[in-house]
Amino acid sequence: MSKWIAWLPAVICLVVIFGFSAQSGSVSNHLSGELTHEIAANTNVMSQTTGRNMIELNLIVRKMAHFALYLSLGMAVMSALADTGMSRKRAFFAGISICILSAFSDELHQSFVPGRDARWQDVLIDSSGAAAGLVLYQLWKAVKCYRKSMKRVSDETSF
């Protein structure tokens, strides 16, 4: 695969993250509020949910979105770095560096968007999601390699 094409999923993730970060505070709150309401309604939490609980649930939804977006970014970056031929350890550190810089720049960007602000806690959540994505990608590759080697052993021992 072309090295440029290998980076396409990471670029798409960054564009999506930028798009969400560019939303004004009111638009972002409305979107996450609708999702929170759907989650509450479809998990039978609605009857037990007060206004304060909905605010807390909305905060959880928003932070989980941060984590999930950066988990996806971490996996995409690790996939692209895997094509470079660098060692797993070096690729992990390069990947986490790329993702942390992205998280910082995302929060900086948000500080200029009306109704939004930069939070160091979000950088930590984003970085944790990215690290999880990097690790998950490496685990997936290790399992894939293990299965391939087990199939090869099985094929060699069958008559």
Side-chain angles (χ1 to χ4, degrees), residues 62-93:
R62 293 176 72 83
K63 300 311 169 190
M64 291 296 293
H66 273 267
F67 188 89
L69 285 169
Y70 276 85
L71 183 137
S72 300
L73 177 63
M75 291 183 78
V77 166
M78 195 65 198
S79 174
L81 289 171
D83 285 352
T84 66
M86 69 174 63
S87 71
R88 285 187 195 172
K89 185 177 180 180
R90 195 165 177 198
F92 180 85
F93 286 111

PDB file of all heavy atoms in Angstrom, residues 62-93:
ATOM      1  N   ARG A  62     -19.900  13.008  26.480  1.00  0.00           N
ATOM      2  CA  ARG A  62     -18.935  13.888  25.827  1.00  0.00           C
ATOM      3  C   ARG A  62     -17.498  13.377  26.017  1.00  0.00           C
ATOM      4  O   ARG A  62     -16.700  13.364  25.079  1.00  0.00           O
ATOM      5  CB  ARG A  62     -19.071  15.318  26.357  1.00  0.00           C
ATOM      6  CG  ARG A  62     -20.389  15.980  25.964  1.00  0.00           C
ATOM      7  CD  ARG A  62     -20.530  17.357  26.581  1.00  0.00           C
ATOM      8  NE  ARG A  62     -19.642  18.315  25.958  1.00  0.00           N
ATOM      9  CZ  ARG A  62     -19.915  18.970  24.832  1.00  0.00           C
ATOM     10  NH1 ARG A  62     -21.057  18.763  24.205  1.00  0.00           N
ATOM     11  NH2 ARG A  62     -19.064  19.828  24.335  1.00  0.00           N
ATOM     12  N   LYS A  63     -17.181  12.934  27.209  1.00  0.00           N
ATOM     13  CA  LYS A  63     -15.818  12.455  27.477  1.00  0.00           C
ATOM     14  C   LYS A  63     -15.571  11.107  26.787  1.00  0.00           C
ATOM     15  O   LYS A  63     -14.455  10.845  26.317  1.00  0.00           O
ATOM     16  CB  LYS A  63     -15.548  12.357  28.983  1.00  0.00           C
ATOM     17  CG  LYS A  63     -15.682  13.687  29.713  1.00  0.00           C
ATOM     18  CD  LYS A  63     -14.929  14.810  29.028  1.00  0.00           C
ATOM     19  CE  LYS A  63     -15.271  16.167  29.578  1.00  0.00           C
ATOM     20  NZ  LYS A  63     -14.738  17.266  28.793  1.00  0.00           N
ATOM     21  N   MET A  64     -16.588  10.263  26.715  1.00  0.00           N
ATOM     22  CA  MET A  64     -16.452   8.990  25.989  1.00  0.00           C
ATOM     23  C   MET A  64     -16.249   9.251  24.499  1.00  0.00           C
ATOM     24  O   MET A  64     -15.523   8.508  23.837  1.00  0.00           O
ATOM     25  CB  MET A  64     -17.682   8.101  26.210  1.00  0.00           C
ATOM     26  CG  MET A  64     -17.808   7.570  27.625  1.00  0.00           C
ATOM     27  SD  MET A  64     -16.469   6.477  28.092  1.00  0.00           S
ATOM     28  CE  MET A  64     -16.760   5.102  27.024  1.00  0.00           C
ATOM     29  N   ALA A  65     -16.870  10.301  23.987  1.00  0.00           N
ATOM     30  CA  ALA A  65     -16.671  10.661  22.578  1.00  0.00           C
ATOM     31  C   ALA A  65     -15.219  11.074  22.344  1.00  0.00           C
ATOM     32  O   ALA A  65     -14.605  10.672  21.352  1.00  0.00           O
ATOM     33  CB  ALA A  65     -17.621  11.782  22.173  1.00  0.00           C
ATOM     34  N   HIS A  66     -14.665  11.860  23.262  1.00  0.00           N
ATOM     35  CA  HIS A  66     -13.246  12.222  23.168  1.00  0.00           C
ATOM     36  C   HIS A  66     -12.391  10.950  23.110  1.00  0.00           C
ATOM     37  O   HIS A  66     -11.538  10.799  22.239  1.00  0.00           O
ATOM     38  CB  HIS A  66     -12.805  13.027  24.401  1.00  0.00           C
ATOM     39  CG  HIS A  66     -13.032  14.494  24.296  1.00  0.00           C
ATOM     40  ND1 HIS A  66     -12.068  15.354  23.848  1.00  0.00           N
ATOM     41  CD2 HIS A  66     -14.107  15.250  24.616  1.00  0.00           C
ATOM     42  CE1 HIS A  66     -12.542  16.595  23.897  1.00  0.00           C
ATOM     43  NE2 HIS A  66     -13.775  16.555  24.355  1.00  0.00           N
ATOM     44  N   PHE A  67     -12.625  10.061  24.063  1.00  0.00           N
ATOM     45  CA  PHE A  67     -11.836   8.830  24.161  1.00  0.00           C
ATOM     46  C   PHE A  67     -11.964   8.005  22.881  1.00  0.00           C
ATOM     47  O   PHE A  67     -10.966   7.552  22.318  1.00  0.00           O
ATOM     48  CB  PHE A  67     -12.302   8.015  25.378  1.00  0.00           C
ATOM     49  CG  PHE A  67     -11.433   6.832  25.681  1.00  0.00           C
ATOM     50  CD1 PHE A  67     -10.337   6.967  26.518  1.00  0.00           C
ATOM     51  CD2 PHE A  67     -11.715   5.590  25.147  1.00  0.00           C
ATOM     52  CE1 PHE A  67      -9.525   5.875  26.806  1.00  0.00           C
ATOM     53  CE2 PHE A  67     -10.914   4.491  25.423  1.00  0.00           C
ATOM     54  CZ  PHE A  67      -9.818   4.639  26.263  1.00  0.00           C
ATOM     55  N   ALA A  68     -13.191   7.829  22.402  1.00  0.00           N
ATOM     56  CA  ALA A  68     -13.435   6.993  21.217  1.00  0.00           C
ATOM     57  C   ALA A  68     -12.808   7.579  19.954  1.00  0.00           C
ATOM     58  O   ALA A  68     -12.229   6.843  19.147  1.00  0.00           O
ATOM     59  CB  ALA A  68     -14.942   6.798  21.019  1.00  0.00           C
ATOM     60  N   LEU A  69     -12.931   8.887  19.772  1.00  0.00           N
ATOM     61  CA  LEU A  69     -12.339   9.509  18.587  1.00  0.00           C
ATOM     62  C   LEU A  69     -10.823   9.348  18.582  1.00  0.00           C
ATOM     63  O   LEU A  69     -10.221   9.034  17.555  1.00  0.00           O
ATOM     64  CB  LEU A  69     -12.708  10.993  18.513  1.00  0.00           C
ATOM     65  CG  LEU A  69     -14.139  11.291  18.080  1.00  0.00           C
ATOM     66  CD1 LEU A  69     -14.469  12.761  18.310  1.00  0.00           C
ATOM     67  CD2 LEU A  69     -14.347  10.926  16.622  1.00  0.00           C
ATOM     68  N   TYR A  70     -10.207   9.535  19.734  1.00  0.00           N
ATOM     69  CA  TYR A  70      -8.755   9.408  19.793  1.00  0.00           C
ATOM     70  C   TYR A  70      -8.294   7.955  19.809  1.00  0.00           C
ATOM     71  O   TYR A  70      -7.184   7.653  19.360  1.00  0.00           O
ATOM     72  CB  TYR A  70      -8.184  10.216  20.968  1.00  0.00           C
ATOM     73  CG  TYR A  70      -8.004  11.658  20.555  1.00  0.00           C
ATOM     74  CD1 TYR A  70      -9.051  12.566  20.627  1.00  0.00           C
ATOM     75  CD2 TYR A  70      -6.802  12.095  20.025  1.00  0.00           C
ATOM     76  CE1 TYR A  70      -8.898  13.877  20.208  1.00  0.00           C
ATOM     77  CE2 TYR A  70      -6.634  13.397  19.597  1.00  0.00           C
ATOM     78  CZ  TYR A  70      -7.689  14.281  19.693  1.00  0.00           C
ATOM     79  OH  TYR A  70      -7.533  15.578  19.261  1.00  0.00           O
ATOM     80  N   LEU A  71      -9.138   7.035  20.280  1.00  0.00           N
ATOM     81  CA  LEU A  71      -8.836   5.611  20.142  1.00  0.00           C
ATOM     82  C   LEU A  71      -8.758   5.268  18.654  1.00  0.00           C
ATOM     83  O   LEU A  71      -7.813   4.597  18.210  1.00  0.00           O
ATOM     84  CB  LEU A  71      -9.904   4.760  20.834  1.00  0.00           C
ATOM     85  CG  LEU A  71      -9.661   3.259  20.812  1.00  0.00           C
ATOM     86  CD1 LEU A  71      -9.980   2.649  22.166  1.00  0.00           C
ATOM     87  CD2 LEU A  71     -10.477   2.577  19.746  1.00  0.00           C
ATOM     88  N   SER A  72      -9.715   5.756  17.892  1.00  0.00           N
ATOM     89  CA  SER A  72      -9.710   5.542  16.440  1.00  0.00           C
ATOM     90  C   SER A  72      -8.478   6.167  15.800  1.00  0.00           C
ATOM     91  O   SER A  72      -7.835   5.558  14.938  1.00  0.00           O
ATOM     92  CB  SER A  72     -10.968   6.134  15.805  1.00  0.00           C
ATOM     93  OG  SER A  72     -12.120   5.537  16.339  1.00  0.00           O
ATOM     94  N   LEU A  73      -8.140   7.377  16.225  1.00  0.00           N
ATOM     95  CA  LEU A  73      -6.951   8.038  15.696  1.00  0.00           C
ATOM     96  C   LEU A  73      -5.701   7.230  16.028  1.00  0.00           C
ATOM     97  O   LEU A  73      -4.833   7.038  15.173  1.00  0.00           O
ATOM     98  CB  LEU A  73      -6.829   9.464  16.245  1.00  0.00           C
ATOM     99  CG  LEU A  73      -5.581  10.234  15.810  1.00  0.00           C
ATOM    100  CD1 LEU A  73      -5.565  10.435  14.293  1.00  0.00           C
ATOM    101  CD2 LEU A  73      -5.494  11.570  16.539  1.00  0.00           C
ATOM    102  N   GLY A  74      -5.596   6.748  17.254  1.00  0.00           N
ATOM    103  CA  GLY A  74      -4.440   5.954  17.658  1.00  0.00           C
ATOM    104  C   GLY A  74      -4.273   4.712  16.803  1.00  0.00           C
ATOM    105  O   GLY A  74      -3.164   4.380  16.363  1.00  0.00           O
ATOM    106  N   MET A  75      -5.385   4.021  16.547  1.00  0.00           N
ATOM    107  CA  MET A  75      -5.323   2.820  15.700  1.00  0.00           C
ATOM    108  C   MET A  75      -4.912   3.187  14.271  1.00  0.00           C
ATOM    109  O   MET A  75      -4.101   2.488  13.661  1.00  0.00           O
ATOM    110  CB  MET A  75      -6.661   2.096  15.717  1.00  0.00           C
ATOM    111  CG  MET A  75      -6.974   1.462  17.055  1.00  0.00           C
ATOM    112  SD  MET A  75      -8.510   0.536  17.060  1.00  0.00           S
ATOM    113  CE  MET A  75      -7.973  -0.954  16.250  1.00  0.00           C
ATOM    114  N   ALA A  76      -5.468   4.268  13.758  1.00  0.00           N
ATOM    115  CA  ALA A  76      -5.151   4.680  12.386  1.00  0.00           C
ATOM    116  C   ALA A  76      -3.692   5.105  12.259  1.00  0.00           C
ATOM    117  O   ALA A  76      -3.017   4.759  11.279  1.00  0.00           O
ATOM    118  CB  ALA A  76      -6.083   5.816  11.960  1.00  0.00           C
ATOM    119  N   VAL A  77      -3.195   5.840  13.233  1.00  0.00           N
ATOM    120  CA  VAL A  77      -1.795   6.281  13.206  1.00  0.00           C
ATOM    121  C   VAL A  77      -0.865   5.074  13.318  1.00  0.00           C
ATOM    122  O   VAL A  77       0.122   4.968  12.589  1.00  0.00           O
ATOM    123  CB  VAL A  77      -1.525   7.318  14.329  1.00  0.00           C
ATOM    124  CG1 VAL A  77      -0.040   7.532  14.557  1.00  0.00           C
ATOM    125  CG2 VAL A  77      -2.210   8.638  14.008  1.00  0.00           C
ATOM    126  N   MET A  78      -1.198   4.145  14.206  1.00  0.00           N
ATOM    127  CA  MET A  78      -0.350   2.963  14.380  1.00  0.00           C
ATOM    128  C   MET A  78      -0.333   2.121  13.110  1.00  0.00           C
ATOM    129  O   MET A  78       0.707   1.584  12.725  1.00  0.00           O
ATOM    130  CB  MET A  78      -0.843   2.133  15.568  1.00  0.00           C
ATOM    131  CG  MET A  78       0.141   1.115  16.038  1.00  0.00           C
ATOM    132  SD  MET A  78       1.607   1.920  16.699  1.00  0.00           S
ATOM    133  CE  MET A  78       2.734   0.557  16.648  1.00  0.00           C
ATOM    134  N   SER A  79      -1.468   2.030  12.461  1.00  0.00           N
ATOM    135  CA  SER A  79      -1.545   1.284  11.200  1.00  0.00           C
ATOM    136  C   SER A  79      -0.638   1.924  10.146  1.00  0.00           C
ATOM    137  O   SER A  79       0.089   1.223   9.435  1.00  0.00           O
ATOM    138  CB  SER A  79      -2.995   1.260  10.703  1.00  0.00           C
ATOM    139  OG  SER A  79      -3.074   0.666   9.440  1.00  0.00           O
ATOM    140  N   ALA A  80      -0.666   3.241  10.064  1.00  0.00           N
ATOM    141  CA  ALA A  80       0.183   3.937   9.091  1.00  0.00           C
ATOM    142  C   ALA A  80       1.658   3.780   9.441  1.00  0.00           C
ATOM    143  O   ALA A  80       2.492   3.556   8.560  1.00  0.00           O
ATOM    144  CB  ALA A  80      -0.200   5.415   9.031  1.00  0.00           C
ATOM    145  N   LEU A  81       1.964   3.875  10.723  1.00  0.00           N
ATOM    146  CA  LEU A  81       3.364   3.739  11.144  1.00  0.00           C
ATOM    147  C   LEU A  81       3.882   2.318  10.948  1.00  0.00           C
ATOM    148  O   LEU A  81       5.075   2.122  10.721  1.00  0.00           O
ATOM    149  CB  LEU A  81       3.523   4.169  12.604  1.00  0.00           C
ATOM    150  CG  LEU A  81       3.395   5.670  12.861  1.00  0.00           C
ATOM    151  CD1 LEU A  81       3.348   5.949  14.356  1.00  0.00           C
ATOM    152  CD2 LEU A  81       4.526   6.441  12.208  1.00  0.00           C
ATOM    153  N   ALA A  82       2.995   1.348  11.032  1.00  0.00           N
ATOM    154  CA  ALA A  82       3.405  -0.048  10.837  1.00  0.00           C
ATOM    155  C   ALA A  82       3.952  -0.258   9.430  1.00  0.00           C
ATOM    156  O   ALA A  82       4.813  -1.111   9.218  1.00  0.00           O
ATOM    157  CB  ALA A  82       2.235  -0.990  11.099  1.00  0.00           C
ATOM    158  N   ASP A  83       3.470   0.530   8.480  1.00  0.00           N
ATOM    159  CA  ASP A  83       3.947   0.426   7.089  1.00  0.00           C
ATOM    160  C   ASP A  83       5.323   1.052   6.879  1.00  0.00           C
ATOM    161  O   ASP A  83       5.909   0.879   5.821  1.00  0.00           O
ATOM    162  CB  ASP A  83       2.944   1.087   6.134  1.00  0.00           C
ATOM    163  CG  ASP A  83       1.709   0.247   5.908  1.00  0.00           C
ATOM    164  OD1 ASP A  83       1.689  -0.917   6.358  1.00  0.00           O
ATOM    165  OD2 ASP A  83       0.770   0.751   5.282  1.00  0.00           O
ATOM    166  N   THR A  84       5.825   1.772   7.863  1.00  0.00           N
ATOM    167  CA  THR A  84       7.123   2.428   7.700  1.00  0.00           C
ATOM    168  C   THR A  84       8.287   1.483   7.974  1.00  0.00           C
ATOM    169  O   THR A  84       9.419   1.787   7.605  1.00  0.00           O
ATOM    170  CB  THR A  84       7.263   3.637   8.645  1.00  0.00           C
ATOM    171  OG1 THR A  84       7.273   3.173  10.002  1.00  0.00           O
ATOM    172  CG2 THR A  84       6.156   4.646   8.417  1.00  0.00           C
ATOM    173  N   GLY A  85       8.023   0.369   8.648  1.00  0.00           N
ATOM    174  CA  GLY A  85       9.079  -0.582   8.959  1.00  0.00           C
ATOM    175  C   GLY A  85       9.807  -0.291  10.263  1.00  0.00           C
ATOM    176  O   GLY A  85      10.744  -0.999  10.615  1.00  0.00           O
ATOM    177  N   MET A  86       9.379   0.737  10.998  1.00  0.00           N
ATOM    178  CA  MET A  86      10.049   1.009  12.277  1.00  0.00           C
ATOM    179  C   MET A  86       9.629  -0.024  13.317  1.00  0.00           C
ATOM    180  O   MET A  86       8.593  -0.681  13.174  1.00  0.00           O
ATOM    181  CB  MET A  86       9.820   2.442  12.752  1.00  0.00           C
ATOM    182  CG  MET A  86       8.430   2.804  13.180  1.00  0.00           C
ATOM    183  SD  MET A  86       8.275   4.475  13.896  1.00  0.00           S
ATOM    184  CE  MET A  86       8.707   5.548  12.589  1.00  0.00           C
ATOM    185  N   SER A  87      10.413  -0.176  14.357  1.00  0.00           N
ATOM    186  CA  SER A  87      10.127  -1.159  15.406  1.00  0.00           C
ATOM    187  C   SER A  87       8.807  -0.810  16.100  1.00  0.00           C
ATOM    188  O   SER A  87       8.360   0.343  16.061  1.00  0.00           O
ATOM    189  CB  SER A  87      11.251  -1.188  16.433  1.00  0.00           C
ATOM    190  OG  SER A  87      11.240  -0.002  17.217  1.00  0.00           O
ATOM    191  N   ARG A  88       8.206  -1.802  16.745  1.00  0.00           N
ATOM    192  CA  ARG A  88       6.937  -1.561  17.444  1.00  0.00           C
ATOM    193  C   ARG A  88       7.083  -0.497  18.526  1.00  0.00           C
ATOM    194  O   ARG A  88       6.214   0.357  18.684  1.00  0.00           O
ATOM    195  CB  ARG A  88       6.439  -2.852  18.092  1.00  0.00           C
ATOM    196  CG  ARG A  88       5.865  -3.837  17.145  1.00  0.00           C
ATOM    197  CD  ARG A  88       5.271  -4.981  17.920  1.00  0.00           C
ATOM    198  NE  ARG A  88       5.022  -6.095  17.035  1.00  0.00           N
ATOM    199  CZ  ARG A  88       4.653  -7.278  17.447  1.00  0.00           C
ATOM    200  NH1 ARG A  88       4.495  -7.508  18.720  1.00  0.00           N
ATOM    201  NH2 ARG A  88       4.431  -8.233  16.587  1.00  0.00           N
ATOM    202  N   LYS A  89       8.188  -0.597  19.269  1.00  0.00           N
ATOM    203  CA  LYS A  89       8.411   0.361  20.359  1.00  0.00           C
ATOM    204  C   LYS A  89       8.549   1.777  19.810  1.00  0.00           C
ATOM    205  O   LYS A  89       7.928   2.713  20.310  1.00  0.00           O
ATOM    206  CB  LYS A  89       9.663  -0.044  21.132  1.00  0.00           C
ATOM    207  CG  LYS A  89       9.946   0.784  22.347  1.00  0.00           C
ATOM    208  CD  LYS A  89      11.160   0.245  23.086  1.00  0.00           C
ATOM    209  CE  LYS A  89      11.461   1.059  24.318  1.00  0.00           C
ATOM    210  NZ  LYS A  89      12.636   0.546  25.029  1.00  0.00           N
ATOM    211  N   ARG A  90       9.338   1.918  18.780  1.00  0.00           N
ATOM    212  CA  ARG A  90       9.542   3.244  18.181  1.00  0.00           C
ATOM    213  C   ARG A  90       8.245   3.759  17.559  1.00  0.00           C
ATOM    214  O   ARG A  90       7.915   4.949  17.673  1.00  0.00           O
ATOM    215  CB  ARG A  90      10.643   3.152  17.140  1.00  0.00           C
ATOM    216  CG  ARG A  90      11.162   4.473  16.724  1.00  0.00           C
ATOM    217  CD  ARG A  90      12.453   4.335  15.981  1.00  0.00           C
ATOM    218  NE  ARG A  90      12.847   5.654  15.551  1.00  0.00           N
ATOM    219  CZ  ARG A  90      13.721   5.890  14.621  1.00  0.00           C
ATOM    220  NH1 ARG A  90      14.317   4.895  14.019  1.00  0.00           N
ATOM    221  NH2 ARG A  90      14.013   7.112  14.281  1.00  0.00           N
ATOM    222  N   ALA A  91       7.492   2.872  16.906  1.00  0.00           N
ATOM    223  CA  ALA A  91       6.212   3.259  16.306  1.00  0.00           C
ATOM    224  C   ALA A  91       5.228   3.697  17.385  1.00  0.00           C
ATOM    225  O   ALA A  91       4.480   4.665  17.195  1.00  0.00           O
ATOM    226  CB  ALA A  91       5.636   2.107  15.488  1.00  0.00           C
ATOM    227  N   PHE A  92       5.233   3.000  18.528  1.00  0.00           N
ATOM    228  CA  PHE A  92       4.336   3.379  19.619  1.00  0.00           C
ATOM    229  C   PHE A  92       4.658   4.793  20.097  1.00  0.00           C
ATOM    230  O   PHE A  92       3.762   5.624  20.245  1.00  0.00           O
ATOM    231  CB  PHE A  92       4.425   2.395  20.791  1.00  0.00           C
ATOM    232  CG  PHE A  92       3.523   2.764  21.926  1.00  0.00           C
ATOM    233  CD1 PHE A  92       2.194   2.364  21.925  1.00  0.00           C
ATOM    234  CD2 PHE A  92       3.983   3.541  22.981  1.00  0.00           C
ATOM    235  CE1 PHE A  92       1.345   2.725  22.962  1.00  0.00           C
ATOM    236  CE2 PHE A  92       3.137   3.909  24.018  1.00  0.00           C
ATOM    237  CZ  PHE A  92       1.814   3.494  24.010  1.00  0.00           C
ATOM    238  N   PHE A  93       5.939   5.071  20.334  1.00  0.00           N
ATOM    239  CA  PHE A  93       6.303   6.399  20.829  1.00  0.00           C
ATOM    240  C   PHE A  93       6.072   7.484  19.785  1.00  0.00           C
ATOM    241  O   PHE A  93       5.646   8.589  20.122  1.00  0.00           O
ATOM    242  CB  PHE A  93       7.738   6.404  21.359  1.00  0.00           C
ATOM    243  CG  PHE A  93       7.853   5.707  22.685  1.00  0.00           C
ATOM    244  CD1 PHE A  93       8.530   4.507  22.793  1.00  0.00           C
ATOM    245  CD2 PHE A  93       7.241   6.225  23.809  1.00  0.00           C
ATOM    246  CE1 PHE A  93       8.616   3.844  24.013  1.00  0.00           C
ATOM    247  CE2 PHE A  93       7.315   5.575  25.027  1.00  0.00           C
ATOM    248  CZ  PHE A  93       8.008   4.378  25.130  1.00  0.00           C
TER     249      PHE A  93
END
